[in-house]
Amino acid sequence: MNVIPVSEPSSVADREAVARPKNGPERCPICGQAGGREWLRGPDRFHGRQEKYTLLRCPACSLVWLSRPPQPSEMHLHYTDAYHKLISAAGEKSPERWRARKTALMPYKQCGALLDLGCSSGSFLEFMRSESWKLYGIEISAEGAKTAEERTQAQVFVGDILDARFPRESFDVITCFDVLEHLYEPRRVMARVGEWLKPGGIFYVLVPNVNSAEARVFGSYWHGLELPRHLFHYSPASLKFLGESAGLREVSLETQRNPAVGTSLRYVWDDVFSAAGIRRTPAAYQGEASLPWRAARKVVRKTVLRALLAMAPLVGGGESIHAIFRKESRRPLEASPGAVEVQL
Ligand SMILES: [Zn+2]
């Protein structure tokens, strides 16, 4: 079966309204609870910028979100070439991560139609390429989508996830790796996932864990904040709540170590130097480090970082949340003893 997406651009005014709610108390964008409290304030440390952003935390579902984020039309200022370069280099340099994700998926689905949300240049799709899978992607960057199509023969829709119109129940698997935290309307996207999955279909999502040891230890220096590109910061509980809001059932949710303590420490050092009147080149624009600096970093990795990593499990979970949800079968279970679930 070929799944043909049809573009249906949504109103820009609608998007802007979502990005900037009216003045007054903000309700939790996931569960609707009032009374979100300030969790922290911090700048875009990657680009070394000064403007401070405020994060709020929901007292009910524990979601953390960026209060009054930049407008979608301003976001190109925050997604610089340096950022894109970093992301694409990280994707290409670590084939083991894609292998691990394929392995995680295998117990649940071994064949069918697979859609990767935010597929970038197709690193994961390439790993899934085989006779068993018909591959699809959605990618906002035309250049990334073109590369993904060329290297994987997947059919890639270019644009926003909410602008793609796939027929209902098109996919056996939908994946979403390091993307959900960037989206303005996670509830609508999750509802779309629920609509696009076949009954019994699998949604495999990965996001940074705001309850992780690194996030707790480093606060506004935690590299996973990526202000203001990450609009939402999930905990296992808030991610589960979001999945269930779209009628999906959690079948597996775990946190995994994905330490990048070096980057968080670098941000701390940037501030230390700045207090001494020395402005360092921001991480976004640094070239290859000099030999003495690389040697110093190696010493830190072998001492301070090793100690921090050893203590990490005492203060929080791993840095990334890997969750697998299943769309329930069309026929709900009868509430009778001995009922057996049949996946369609
Ligand atoms: Zn909430």
Side-chain angles (χ1 to χ4, degrees):
M1 179 193 68
N2 253 359
V3 182
I4 312 295
V6 183
S7 174
E8 188 183 295
S10 55
S11 147
V12 173
D14 287 351
R15 294 275 163 80
E16 304 275 302
V18 169
R20 187 159 294 177
K22 292 186 185 75
N23 286 333
E26 291 177 52
R27 288 184 170 273
C28 171
I30 299 292
C31 76
Q33 174 74 38
R37 295 188 198 101
E38 182 171 320
W39 188 61
L40 61 75
R41 285 164 65 80
D44 175 354
R45 298 191 189 278
F46 178 66
H47 290 104
R49 294 174 180 166
Q50 303 302 313
E51 184 184 352
K52 290 269 179 77
Y53 300 94
T54 302
L55 293 175
L56 302 178
R57 183 157 209 156
C58 172
C61 75
S62 79
L63 179 80
V64 173
W65 74 95
L66 178 57
S67 172
R68 311 199 187 289
Q71 296 279 5
S73 57
E74 299 162 354
M75 268 302 186
H76 67 280
L77 302 171
H78 305 288
Y79 286 96
T80 57
D81 287 348
Y83 178 78
H84 287 302
K85 214 166 134 188
L86 174 89
I87 296 301
S88 112
E92 299 301 326
K93 276 186 201 156
S94 46
E96 65 282 359
R97 80 160 77 163
W98 308 117
R99 193 176 297 117
R101 288 170 201 178
K102 182 179 179 183
T103 305
L105 197 54
M106 285 303 110
Y108 304 99
K109 291 283 174 190
Q110 299 78 39
C111 60
L114 181 149
L115 170 67
D116 190 24
L117 303 180
C119 66
S120 190
S121 53
S123 300
F124 175 65
L125 290 174
E126 187 170 36
F127 241 91
M128 296 305 292
R129 210 173 144 189
S130 78
E131 292 288 301
S132 308
W133 295 98
K134 177 76 185 157
L135 301 175
Y136 299 84
I138 299 180
E139 173 52 37
I140 195 88
S141 145
E143 198 183 326
K146 186 165 173 276
T147 309
E149 284 199 328
E150 282 170 2
R151 73 197 271 202
T152 69
Q153 268 76 61
Q155 188 181 330
V156 180
F157 174 82
V158 183
D160 192 287
I161 294 168
L162 291 171
D163 289 338
R165 292 287 184 271
F166 292 103
R168 294 179 69 85
E169 301 184 1
S170 295
F171 299 104
D172 299 277
V173 172
I174 298 179
T175 53
C176 186
F177 301 134
D178 299 309
V179 168
L180 196 61
E181 63 274 21
H182 294 265
L183 306 178
Y184 279 96
E185 298 177 88
R187 270 194 78 123
R188 283 187 67 202
V189 169
M190 197 59 89
R192 205 56 68 80
V193 166
E195 207 180 290
W196 288 339
L197 278 177
K198 295 177 185 175
I202 289 294
F203 180 52
Y204 180 10
V205 57
L206 197 157
V207 290
N209 178 14
V210 77
N211 277 5
S212 65
E214 258 190 68
R216 288 172 196 266
V217 168
F218 284 102
S220 81
Y221 295 95
W222 181 43
H223 82 283
L225 290 181
E226 282 288 355
L227 294 168
R229 291 166 294 283
H230 287 185
L231 304 173
F232 293 90
H233 304 271
Y234 296 93
S235 63
S238 56
L239 185 63
K240 180 178 177 177
F241 186 93
L242 179 63
E244 289 178 347
S245 75
L248 305 179
R249 184 167 58 85
E250 174 204 309
V251 291
S252 159
L253 191 151
E254 61 181 34
T255 68
Q256 290 183 12
R257 299 308 320 276
N258 179 24
V261 187
T263 309
S264 302
L265 268 181
R266 189 217 141 91
Y267 292 156
V268 174
W269 277 114
D270 284 348
D271 258 15
V272 170
F273 277 93
S274 172
I278 302 167
R279 179 164 159 72
R280 303 170 80 206
T281 306
Y285 310 112
Q286 69 179 3
E288 186 64 28
S290 64
L291 199 60
W293 184 241
R294 286 211 301 273
R297 282 201 314 217
K298 195 170 176 185
V299 172
V300 171
R301 267 204 303 275
K302 287 194 175 284
T303 54
V304 180
L305 298 196
R306 191 168 284 179
L308 279 173
L309 289 175
M311 290 188 301
L314 303 176
V315 274
E319 289 73 31
S320 53
I321 307 173
H322 294 242
I324 295 182
F325 293 92
R326 178 180 282 131
K327 178 174 173 175
E328 297 290 9
S329 302
R330 231 169 306 192
R331 291 177 214 144
L333 278 177
E334 296 296 329
S336 61
V340 178
E341 183 176 6
V342 180
Q343 294 298 332
L344 294 178

